[in-house]
Amino acid sequence: MTIDRRTFLTATGALAAGSALGLSMRSAAAQEKLTGVTYLPPSYADLAYGSQGFVDFVNEKHADAVAIDFYDSGRLLSADEQLPALRSGNIDFMFHTTSYITRSLPILGITGLPGVVGPLFENPDRMKRGTPLFQLVQDELKKNGLTVLSLGGGLLEPEYIWSTDASPVRNLDDIRGKRIRVVSFEATKAIEDFGGGAVRIPSSELYLALQRGTIDAAVANISTINGRSIQEQAKHVYRLPVTAFSIGIFVQTDRWEALDEPVRNAFMAGAEWFDENSARAANVDYFEKQYWPAFVEQGIEVIDPTEEELARFAEVSANVRTSWMEEVGTEVGERAIALALGQDA
């Protein structure tokens, strides 16, 4: 089955109405056909491994119950269009990076809080399905009519500060006065707290921005650096865990609960695979074993923060966490942070 973007966008009203009535979109063979999307392209093999693996797992092992039509690279919907389309019932599920949608779904901000993401990344089991932290996020999302099937089994390696030879960032004090590219709200606040100028630039424009001196540095995940060849411009990386993200599988709760049990079972089997493999494959098989050794060999200077710098960063960034707790509620926020840090909550 092939859907082009124009046909999809003009036909979604009928699909939404059908979804609202609880109608199942079945073939004559009683096989459920579901549509899923991601804006990430296959060229980001590290991040795409989990999403494509989930789709392949479900389609191959549960073909009797469900068939997935999957659209990557924003071919069907752009990153900004995915969440509205899910909420309206025009798609059945989506993969999304949490950092992109924290303004709409604030509880997901726990995956990007400075001072929290470092310990959370080092302890991925705290985010796996069935853990208290995962369940807390799940409960809060359901208040918005959404269900998350998996958050990838952990955070992707945090976003560090990558800088040019002309304006290296080797410590916290070097941030002051620098023009630094950011994406998430959490990173913006953290950089500004240390006197930096936060600049929002999409990854597609990052290479030229560094080359031309429009910015001095970038807060980015290593996947972005490798995928956009930023290592040709950024010669230093200060591995301060400024922020982070995970990749989740999201469904509309009402639509999910209306699906037949065999279909939900098929998806949950895929979600278990995704939980075990998505973050692990990216962090270990790609980042640790391939990208970092290649970058070091190319001569990129790697600077790890001291324990004192990490403590100072967490202390100064406390207002970011406070601001986030005001959004999600103090009780929920304090409990989420405590669980992320491995404390009793």
Side-chain angles (χ1 to χ4, degrees):
M1 175 179 173
T2 302
I3 305 175
D4 63 47
R5 179 180 173 81
R6 178 173 295 179
T7 300
F8 177 83
L9 292 177
T10 56
T12 52
L15 291 177
S19 179
L21 291 170
L23 300 178
S24 58
M25 298 155 49
R26 296 175 176 275
S27 70
Q31 180 193 61
E32 190 85 28
K33 293 185 181 296
L34 302 180
T35 300
V37 298
T38 178
Y39 69 92
L40 294 169
S43 59
Y44 279 69
D46 40 34
L47 303 187
Y49 177 87
S51 55
Q52 189 60 57
F54 168 89
V55 172
D56 292 343
F57 181 96
V58 174
N59 277 342
E60 292 170 9
K61 295 186 179 297
H62 298 274
D64 58 330
V66 62
I68 293 174
D69 285 327
F70 183 52
Y71 298 86
D72 56 36
S73 310
R75 289 182 296 130
L76 192 60
L77 296 165
S78 70
D80 288 335
E81 292 169 332
Q82 286 188 193
L83 183 56
L86 183 70
R87 281 176 158 159
S88 65
N90 296 328
I91 57 174
D92 298 296
F93 71 97
M94 70 175 185
F95 295 94
H96 222 312
T97 49
T98 55
S99 58
Y100 209 105
I101 50 177
T102 56
R103 295 297 83 202
S104 299
L105 304 169
I107 188 60
L108 296 179
I110 190 62
T111 64
L113 290 180
V116 174
V117 297
L120 189 54
F121 168 68
E122 295 294 338
N123 297 273
D125 286 351
R126 294 174 187 169
M127 269 183 62
K128 286 187 177 293
R129 282 185 45 77
T131 62
L133 179 58
F134 181 87
Q135 191 58 52
L136 178 61
V137 172
Q138 180 77 282
D139 292 343
E140 292 301 303
L141 288 176
K142 284 187 174 180
K143 295 176 183 178
N144 288 275
L146 298 177
T147 292
V148 61
L149 304 183
S150 169
L151 286 167
L155 290 183
L156 279 300
E157 186 175 58
E159 298 185 26
Y160 304 134
I161 302 177
W162 304 76
S163 56
T164 63
D165 262 340
S167 301
V169 175
R170 295 188 175 94
N171 54 55
L172 290 173
D173 292 332
D174 284 345
I175 295 173
R176 181 168 297 279
K178 298 290 197 305
R179 293 160 299 178
I180 301 177
R181 176 264 190 178
V182 299
V183 174
S184 70
F185 166 79
E186 293 79 15
T188 298
K189 292 283 292 179
I191 291 300
E192 290 175 346
D193 284 343
F194 283 90
V199 182
R200 295 183 67 85
I201 294 177
S203 61
S204 60
E205 300 174 15
L206 185 52
Y207 188 100
L208 286 178
L210 286 166
Q211 185 182 57
R212 294 170 177 172
T214 305
I215 56 174
D216 304 301
V219 173
N221 175 268
I222 193 171
S223 175
T224 299
I225 301 301
N226 184 78
R228 299 290 184 179
S229 300
I230 306 302
Q231 68 272 22
E232 296 176 5
Q233 299 298 327
K235 301 303 180 181
H236 314 271
V237 54
Y238 180 42
R239 293 203 290 197
L240 180 75
V242 178
T243 188
F245 64 91
S246 65
I247 298 176
I249 310 172
F250 300 90
V251 296
Q252 186 182 26
T253 302
D254 289 348
R255 168 67 170 142
W256 171 251
E257 292 177 349
L259 292 172
D260 289 342
E261 185 175 0
V263 179
R264 284 186 278 115
N265 288 343
F267 259 63
M268 290 315 305
E272 293 292 346
W273 182 93
F274 186 81
D275 214 59
E276 289 297 321
N277 291 284
S278 182
R280 179 205 57 77
N283 289 330
V284 178
D285 297 342
Y286 287 91
F287 303 162
E288 180 183 327
K289 294 182 178 180
Q290 298 181 46
Y291 299 173
W292 281 112
F295 287 0
V296 170
E297 186 176 347
Q298 291 170 30
I300 289 183
E301 181 187 19
V302 179
I303 309 102
D304 289 314
T306 65
E307 291 299 321
E308 290 76 15
E309 287 176 314
L310 289 172
R312 180 184 167 200
F313 179 68
E315 181 181 358
V316 173
S317 299
N319 71 316
V320 182
R321 299 189 293 278
T322 299
S323 177
W324 175 74
M325 285 191 289
E326 290 174 353
E327 289 189 70
V328 300
T330 301
E331 183 178 352
V332 168
E334 288 180 345
R335 182 162 182 255
I337 290 174
L339 291 170
L341 296 178
Q343 303 167 359
D344 293 332

